[in-house]
Short mmCIF file of all heavy atoms in Angstrom, two decimals:
data_model
loop_
_atom_site.label_atom_id
_atom_site.label_comp_id
_atom_site.label_asym_id
_atom_site.label_seq_id
_atom_site.Cartn_x
_atom_site.Cartn_y
_atom_site.Cartn_z
N LYS A 474 -38.06 -11.37 58.91
CA LYS A 474 -37.52 -11.67 60.10
C LYS A 474 -38.48 -12.39 61.03
O LYS A 474 -39.45 -11.76 61.40
CB LYS A 474 -36.73 -10.49 60.83
CG LYS A 474 -35.90 -10.93 62.01
CD LYS A 474 -34.88 -9.83 62.20
CE LYS A 474 -34.21 -10.04 63.60
NZ LYS A 474 -34.26 -11.40 64.10
N GLU A 475 -38.25 -13.68 61.45
CA GLU A 475 -39.20 -14.29 62.24
C GLU A 475 -38.97 -13.91 63.77
O GLU A 475 -37.88 -13.92 64.17
CB GLU A 475 -39.10 -15.84 62.11
CG GLU A 475 -39.38 -16.40 60.69
CD GLU A 475 -40.79 -16.12 60.34
OE1 GLU A 475 -41.69 -15.88 61.17
OE2 GLU A 475 -41.12 -16.09 59.09
N GLU A 476 -40.00 -13.58 64.40
CA GLU A 476 -39.94 -13.23 65.70
C GLU A 476 -40.48 -14.35 66.76
O GLU A 476 -41.40 -15.17 66.22
CB GLU A 476 -40.87 -11.98 66.04
CG GLU A 476 -42.19 -12.15 65.60
CD GLU A 476 -43.16 -10.86 65.41
OE1 GLU A 476 -43.45 -10.31 66.49
OE2 GLU A 476 -43.24 -10.47 64.28
N GLU A 477 -39.89 -14.41 67.76
CA GLU A 477 -40.26 -15.54 68.82
C GLU A 477 -41.57 -15.01 69.36
O GLU A 477 -41.74 -13.82 69.82
CB GLU A 477 -39.33 -15.91 69.91
CG GLU A 477 -38.15 -16.69 69.46
CD GLU A 477 -38.56 -18.13 69.08
OE1 GLU A 477 -39.78 -18.44 69.21
OE2 GLU A 477 -37.69 -18.88 68.57
N ILE A 478 -42.60 -15.88 69.50
CA ILE A 478 -43.81 -15.41 70.07
C ILE A 478 -43.87 -16.06 71.44
O ILE A 478 -43.77 -17.26 71.73
CB ILE A 478 -45.13 -15.98 69.27
CG1 ILE A 478 -44.87 -15.37 67.81
CG2 ILE A 478 -46.39 -15.56 69.85
CD1 ILE A 478 -45.83 -16.05 66.82
N PRO A 479 -44.00 -15.28 72.56
CA PRO A 479 -43.89 -15.84 73.81
C PRO A 479 -45.14 -16.84 74.04
O PRO A 479 -46.22 -16.72 73.62
CB PRO A 479 -44.28 -14.62 74.79
CG PRO A 479 -44.24 -13.40 73.81
CD PRO A 479 -44.40 -13.72 72.47
N VAL A 480 -44.63 -17.87 74.76
CA VAL A 480 -45.59 -19.06 74.96
C VAL A 480 -46.22 -18.64 76.41
O VAL A 480 -45.55 -18.31 77.41
CB VAL A 480 -44.74 -20.31 75.29
CG1 VAL A 480 -45.77 -21.47 75.70
CG2 VAL A 480 -43.99 -20.66 73.99
N ILE A 481 -47.66 -18.64 76.27
CA ILE A 481 -48.29 -18.54 77.53
C ILE A 481 -49.14 -19.72 77.84
O ILE A 481 -49.68 -20.30 76.83
CB ILE A 481 -49.23 -17.26 77.46
CG1 ILE A 481 -49.74 -17.04 76.20
CG2 ILE A 481 -48.48 -16.03 78.07
CD1 ILE A 481 -50.78 -15.87 76.19
N ARG A 482 -49.18 -20.06 79.04
CA ARG A 482 -49.87 -21.24 79.44
C ARG A 482 -51.27 -20.90 79.87
O ARG A 482 -51.46 -19.91 80.55
CB ARG A 482 -49.18 -22.17 80.34
CG ARG A 482 -47.84 -22.42 79.92
CD ARG A 482 -47.32 -23.73 80.49
NE ARG A 482 -45.93 -23.97 79.91
CZ ARG A 482 -45.57 -24.37 78.78
NH1 ARG A 482 -46.54 -24.73 77.94
NH2 ARG A 482 -44.31 -24.48 78.52
N GLY A 483 -52.23 -21.82 79.46
CA GLY A 483 -53.63 -21.51 80.01
C GLY A 483 -53.71 -21.91 81.42
O GLY A 483 -52.95 -22.74 81.92
N HIS A 484 -54.70 -21.24 82.12
CA HIS A 484 -54.87 -21.81 83.54
C HIS A 484 -56.12 -22.77 83.56
O HIS A 484 -56.96 -22.78 82.65
CB HIS A 484 -55.09 -20.65 84.45
CG HIS A 484 -56.15 -19.53 83.89
ND1 HIS A 484 -55.75 -18.47 83.31
CD2 HIS A 484 -57.44 -19.63 84.08
CE1 HIS A 484 -56.85 -17.76 83.06
NE2 HIS A 484 -57.87 -18.41 83.43
N GLU A 485 -56.00 -23.57 84.46
CA GLU A 485 -56.99 -24.57 84.65
C GLU A 485 -58.32 -23.82 85.11
O GLU A 485 -58.28 -23.12 85.98
CB GLU A 485 -56.58 -25.57 85.76
CG GLU A 485 -57.47 -26.67 85.99
CD GLU A 485 -57.62 -27.50 84.73
OE1 GLU A 485 -56.79 -27.50 83.81
OE2 GLU A 485 -58.69 -28.18 84.64
N MET A 486 -59.32 -24.07 84.31
CA MET A 486 -60.58 -23.27 84.65
C MET A 486 -61.47 -24.27 85.41
O MET A 486 -62.17 -25.18 84.75
CB MET A 486 -61.18 -22.73 83.32
CG MET A 486 -60.62 -21.37 83.29
SD MET A 486 -61.04 -20.73 81.55
CE MET A 486 -59.92 -21.75 80.68
N GLU A 487 -61.45 -23.96 86.67
CA GLU A 487 -62.24 -24.83 87.56
C GLU A 487 -63.78 -24.67 87.32
O GLU A 487 -64.24 -23.66 86.89
CB GLU A 487 -61.91 -24.65 88.90
CG GLU A 487 -62.45 -23.41 89.58
CD GLU A 487 -61.63 -22.12 89.30
OE1 GLU A 487 -60.89 -22.28 88.26
OE2 GLU A 487 -61.76 -21.15 89.99
N LYS A 488 -64.46 -25.81 87.50
CA LYS A 488 -65.96 -25.65 87.36
C LYS A 488 -66.61 -24.77 88.34
O LYS A 488 -67.43 -23.88 88.13
CB LYS A 488 -66.61 -27.04 87.38
CG LYS A 488 -66.33 -27.77 86.02
CD LYS A 488 -67.45 -28.75 85.77
CE LYS A 488 -67.21 -29.35 84.44
NZ LYS A 488 -66.09 -30.19 84.29
N SER A 489 -66.28 -25.15 89.61
CA SER A 489 -66.83 -24.24 90.61
C SER A 489 -65.73 -23.54 91.36
O SER A 489 -64.59 -24.17 91.50
CB SER A 489 -67.66 -25.16 91.61
OG SER A 489 -66.81 -25.85 92.18
N ARG A 490 -65.95 -22.36 91.74
CA ARG A 490 -64.90 -21.64 92.57
C ARG A 490 -64.83 -22.27 93.94
O ARG A 490 -65.12 -23.32 94.26
CB ARG A 490 -65.23 -20.07 92.52
CG ARG A 490 -65.28 -19.70 91.12
CD ARG A 490 -63.97 -19.03 90.72
NE ARG A 490 -64.02 -18.80 89.30
CZ ARG A 490 -63.68 -17.61 88.89
NH1 ARG A 490 -63.31 -16.69 89.61
NH2 ARG A 490 -63.60 -17.33 87.65
N ARG A 491 -64.35 -21.28 94.79
CA ARG A 491 -64.15 -21.71 96.12
C ARG A 491 -65.46 -22.23 96.77
O ARG A 491 -66.50 -21.84 96.54
CB ARG A 491 -63.81 -20.46 96.90
CG ARG A 491 -63.39 -20.54 98.21
CD ARG A 491 -62.92 -19.11 98.68
NE ARG A 491 -61.76 -18.74 97.85
CZ ARG A 491 -61.70 -17.54 97.31
NH1 ARG A 491 -62.61 -16.62 97.51
NH2 ARG A 491 -60.57 -17.22 96.51
N PRO A 492 -65.28 -23.52 97.51
CA PRO A 492 -66.50 -24.20 98.03
C PRO A 492 -67.07 -23.10 98.96
O PRO A 492 -66.50 -22.36 99.56
CB PRO A 492 -65.88 -25.32 98.71
CG PRO A 492 -64.30 -25.24 98.80
CD PRO A 492 -63.93 -24.16 97.76
N GLN A 493 -68.44 -23.32 98.99
CA GLN A 493 -69.19 -22.63 100.03
C GLN A 493 -68.77 -22.83 101.27
O GLN A 493 -68.46 -23.87 101.71
CB GLN A 493 -70.68 -22.90 99.85
CG GLN A 493 -71.46 -21.83 99.23
CD GLN A 493 -72.98 -22.21 99.49
OE1 GLN A 493 -73.31 -23.30 99.16
NE2 GLN A 493 -73.70 -21.24 99.86
N GLY A 494 -68.77 -21.69 102.10
CA GLY A 494 -68.31 -21.95 103.52
C GLY A 494 -66.97 -21.81 103.80
O GLY A 494 -66.49 -21.75 104.91
N SER A 495 -66.15 -21.99 102.72
CA SER A 495 -64.77 -21.88 102.94
C SER A 495 -64.44 -20.47 103.10
O SER A 495 -65.16 -19.58 102.89
CB SER A 495 -63.99 -22.52 101.78
OG SER A 495 -63.81 -21.45 100.73
N LYS A 496 -63.32 -20.11 103.80
CA LYS A 496 -62.95 -18.80 104.22
C LYS A 496 -62.83 -18.04 102.78
O LYS A 496 -62.30 -18.49 101.89
CB LYS A 496 -61.65 -18.71 104.86
CG LYS A 496 -61.81 -18.80 106.29
CD LYS A 496 -60.36 -18.46 106.83
CE LYS A 496 -60.28 -18.71 108.32
NZ LYS A 496 -58.84 -18.50 108.78
#
Side-chain angles (χ1 to χ4, degrees):
K474 185 156 169 19
E475 295 297 340
E476 56 199 282
E477 280 299 354
I478 305 167
V480 176
I481 33 174
R482 305 214 182 277
H484 49 263
E485 187 57 26
M486 268 163 292
E487 73 279 22
K488 282 214 176 58
S489 60
R490 299 262 169 132
R491 191 168 296 139
Q493 245 191 312
S495 77
K496 270 190 186 170

